[in-house]
Amino acid sequence: MPRFRVAHVREQGIDLIIVPLAASFGQKANTEQREIIAELQGQARSAGLAGTVVPVWSSGGRSHFIAPSNWHPFFRSLSPAAIEASINKEIYW
C-alpha cells in the first residue's frame, strides 16, 4: 500500500500539497514523473486535500521540484528541513 507523508500548506492564498519523494524520482522519464504526479493528485483529492501536488526530492546535495514557474522562487527558498517541519498529513491507498 503506497503511503506518503505530505505538507498541506497555503501559500499566498494557494493550497499546495508538497510531497517529498526519493531521489530516484528525478531519474524517471518525464512521462513517468507526470503519471506519478497525476496519481498523487487524484489520491490527495480523494483524501480530501485541496491544492496542487508538487513533488520535491534531493539529489546531489540539491533540492529539486516540479512546480509551475511562478512558484519557483517559493520552492527554491525551502530547505529539506523546512519541508520536513511542514509535514502535517498522510495520503495512502
Side-chain angles (χ1 to χ4, degrees), residues 15 40 64:
D15 289 316
L40 288 167
H64 303 275

Side-chain angles (χ1 to χ4, degrees), residues 22-90:
S24 60
F25 179 80
Q27 299 166 352
K28 296 184 182 307
N30 190 320
T31 54
E32 188 175 0
Q33 288 177 338
R34 296 286 174 204
E35 289 170 2
I36 292 168
I37 293 168
E39 182 171 13
L40 288 167
Q41 185 72 61
Q43 295 297 337
R45 191 171 295 120
S46 293
L49 301 181
T52 300
V53 164
V54 177
V56 296
W57 68 97
S58 294
S59 176
R62 295 185 55 218
S63 294
H64 303 275
F65 55 86
I66 296 176
S69 60
N70 58 320
W71 296 350
H72 285 196
F74 171 71
F75 281 97
R76 282 190 194 111
S77 74
L78 293 179
S79 68
I83 293 169
E84 183 64 29
S86 297
I87 300 287
N88 58 0
K89 303 282 185 199
E90 190 171 58

